Structures are given as structure tokens and as C-alpha cells.
Amino acid sequence: MGTQLLQSKMIRTAMRVPLLERDEEHELALRWKENRDQQAMNKIVVAHMRLVISMASRFRNYGLPMNDVIQEGHIGLLEAVSRFDPDREVRFSTYATWWIRASIQDYVLRNWSIVRGGTSAAQKSLFFNLRRLRARLSKGQEAISESMIIKNISQSLGLPEKDVELMNHRLSGPDTSLQAPLSNDDEGGAQRMDFLVDGAPLPDSVAAESIDSERRQSWVRGALMVLDTRELLIIKERRLSDDGATLEFLGEKLGISKERVRQLETRAMGKLKSALLQANQELAREAASV
């Protein structure tokens, strides 16, 4: 209740401050721009707090504390004062409206959900206009389908239908904690996260795969030691390289025919097979004797 009373008092105070005449506004803006007159700046800010409150009230349906929304609007107002050029013959309220709205919108996007929303201009437009467009399309059209609403909004904002559908789902309900119980009557029982499926391999499978991979690499390294220099080069270039050298390339490199390269490769593969089989037999005998 105390917060509401404070908010009401702030609104009443802002509404009682008189608006600035054009000449007075121009004079105060010049004093701030040329002399950094703090008093002049404060007078401009106080006179336009009603604009901040009016703008903040448009965002009351996002479930955020109104005091915080007003404070963010106030930050936007201060930014507008610091950037305003009185020589452009534009009323300050017209210029400040953009900065106030932008500051509030950024605050809403940062705090409305723990999941960060889109930051592009198109995504912001979708976030803040989706509900209004839905209401307008549904008004007087009882039979309009959900897919047609999504399609019309997509065309209106120039965005893909999947983006509109995703944002529509996000706005349809609040964030839900994964640690919340499945039902109100099940406190301390099953939680939502208990039913999430993890597609990653189980830890024991990861460990087994790592051990098997290391074992296979050890076998291959040991088997390669039975090859002579030319055979080792051919196997590395033909079998252990991503590109896979051709027989012609290796023949030119070794100064032999491509047919001879093929014969050496076949002999080397036979040696490797025999070495791997022998290594596995020795491992099997060791395991059996343990």
C-alpha cells in the first residue's frame, strides 16, 4: 500500500506542474546547452514528467512494477534533454517522446521474461504490437482461425510466420520454473525438470567411447610400425588423409608407376590387418589370464 500511495503522490505532483510555453522552453534549453545550467535542465525535466507517466501507463499490462517503468522513462527523458537541440525549432515533448518510449521498451524487453527477446527493430515491433494486432483482427470476426491471425500479422509487420507464432507462444503465458512442482498439491514431489529428456549420451557411454577410441588409436599406431617407409607414406596419404591422394600423384612423388603404388598399398593393408589381429589376440589372452 505504501508503494501505491507514493506512486499516486508522484503522479499528482507531476500533473500539477504547469506546462512550459514555447519561448520559455526554448530559453531553458539554450541555457542548458550553452551554459550547462542545472536549474534550467531540472525545470525542463520536471515539466515533462507527466509525459513520462503517460507513456509508462501504456506498458502497464506487462506485469512490471509501474514505479520501475516510470523510472526508466525518466532515464529516457534525461537522455532527451542532453541531446536536444533548441535551434531545430522542434518542441521538446515531440523529441523526448521517442527517447522515453525507447528507454521503457528496452526495460520491458530486458525484464518481462528471463528468456531474452529479439533486439532487432522488427522483433521489437512484433513484441509490442502483437496483442494489439490480434485484438484488432479478432474484433467482429468470430470465425477467424488462429493460423489466419498469424498469417495476417506476419504480412502486416513483414516478418516470417514462424517468428510471429513463436512470439505469440511466448506472450501467451508467464515463465515457469523448472523446479516448480507438477501440481499445487504436490509440493516437495516431482518437478518439471524430472521429465526433461536429455538427448546426450549417458556418462558411462561417453567414458566407454573415450576408452575405446584411445585403445583403437593405440592399436593403429602399433600396427603402423610394421610398415616400411614407402608403405607408411602411401597409407598416410591414401587412408589417413582427409583428401586422399591419387595413385598418379603418389607414383610421381615416389618415382614409380601407379600400379606399383596400388600393389604397395595392398601389401601394406595386409600387414596392418595381420598386426591388428595379432594385437587383439594378445589382448584377449591377457584378459583371459586375469
Side-chain angles (χ1 to χ4, degrees):
M1 182 62 69
T3 301
Q4 294 179 352
L5 290 174
L6 183 61
Q7 179 179 320
S8 300
K9 182 179 179 180
M10 178 179 61
I11 293 175
R12 288 195 301 269
T13 301
M15 294 304 177
R16 285 198 297 265
V17 177
L19 297 173
L20 297 176
E21 297 293 337
R22 189 183 190 96
D23 292 341
E24 183 182 11
E25 177 186 290
H26 186 266
E27 178 189 354
L28 292 171
L30 281 176
R31 284 166 53 189
W32 167 248
K33 178 183 177 182
E34 297 175 355
N35 305 316
R36 284 297 182 259
D37 188 329
Q38 192 69 35
Q39 186 176 4
M41 188 270 281
N42 290 338
K43 194 167 184 178
I44 295 175
V45 171
V46 172
H48 289 85
M49 276 305 297
R50 67 174 66 196
L51 177 62
V52 172
I53 294 171
S54 175
M55 190 72 65
S57 66
R58 303 179 186 180
F59 296 86
R60 65 166 64 93
N61 294 326
Y62 289 96
L64 298 172
M66 185 53 57
N67 282 340
D68 292 346
V69 178
I70 293 174
Q71 287 297 326
E72 291 296 322
H74 182 252
I75 293 174
L77 177 61
L78 293 176
E79 187 70 23
V81 173
S82 68
R83 294 173 178 268
F84 182 62
D85 185 358
D87 297 328
R88 290 189 175 183
E89 299 298 327
V90 177
R91 291 302 300 266
F92 176 75
S93 59
T94 302
Y95 179 79
T97 296
W98 187 91
W99 286 100
I100 296 170
R101 181 190 299 113
S103 182
I104 293 176
Q105 286 181 343
D106 287 343
Y107 168 75
V108 172
L109 285 173
R110 290 195 312 269
N111 295 276
W112 178 80
S113 171
I114 60 175
V115 180
R116 185 170 178 79
T119 56
S120 66
Q123 288 292 323
K124 286 183 179 180
S125 176
L126 175 59
F127 181 87
F128 289 106
N129 290 298
L130 181 59
R131 289 173 176 171
R132 177 180 58 81
L133 291 174
R134 279 186 63 90
R136 188 181 70 185
L137 291 170
S138 300
K139 188 176 181 180
Q141 302 184 49
E142 297 180 359
I144 188 170
S145 65
E146 182 71 14
S147 60
M148 184 59 66
I149 291 177
I150 298 296
K151 182 177 181 179
N152 289 338
I153 294 176
S154 170
Q155 294 174 349
S156 176
L157 297 178
L159 290 172
E161 291 186 24
K162 63 178 183 179
D163 290 355
V164 178
E165 188 172 3
L166 178 61
M167 186 65 73
N168 185 49
H169 286 313
R170 288 194 59 204
L171 293 176
S172 63
D175 294 332
T176 301
S177 173
L178 292 177
Q179 294 181 324
L182 289 178
S183 66
N184 294 331
D185 300 330
D186 192 25
E187 294 185 4
Q191 299 176 347
R192 295 178 184 275
M193 69 167 56
D194 296 334
F195 295 88
L196 292 179
V197 179
D198 186 1
L202 295 174
D204 55 347
S205 299
V206 174
E209 177 61 26
S210 176
I211 294 172
D212 290 343
S213 178
E214 292 178 0
R215 182 182 293 121
R216 287 193 295 268
Q217 291 177 11
S218 176
W219 290 345
V220 171
R221 285 194 297 267
L224 289 173
M225 296 178 65
V226 305
L227 305 179
D228 61 32
T229 304
R230 287 196 305 181
E231 293 170 343
L232 181 61
L233 174 63
I234 292 172
I235 292 299
K236 285 185 175 180
E237 293 285 348
R238 292 274 293 165
R239 303 287 180 165
L240 303 180
S241 174
D242 293 334
D243 297 332
T246 62
L247 296 174
E248 291 83 355
F249 173 80
L250 290 174
E252 293 178 0
K253 186 173 182 178
L254 296 172
I256 56 179
S257 67
K258 66 178 184 179
E259 177 59 25
R260 181 55 180 161
V261 174
R262 186 190 64 77
Q263 293 173 357
L264 292 173
E265 180 184 11
T266 301
R267 187 174 72 183
M269 293 298 295
K271 287 183 177 181
L272 289 176
K273 182 178 179 180
S274 298
L276 289 172
L277 288 174
Q278 183 179 358
N280 282 327
Q281 290 174 0
E282 293 176 354
L283 287 173
R285 286 195 296 269
E286 291 178 2
S289 62
V290 174

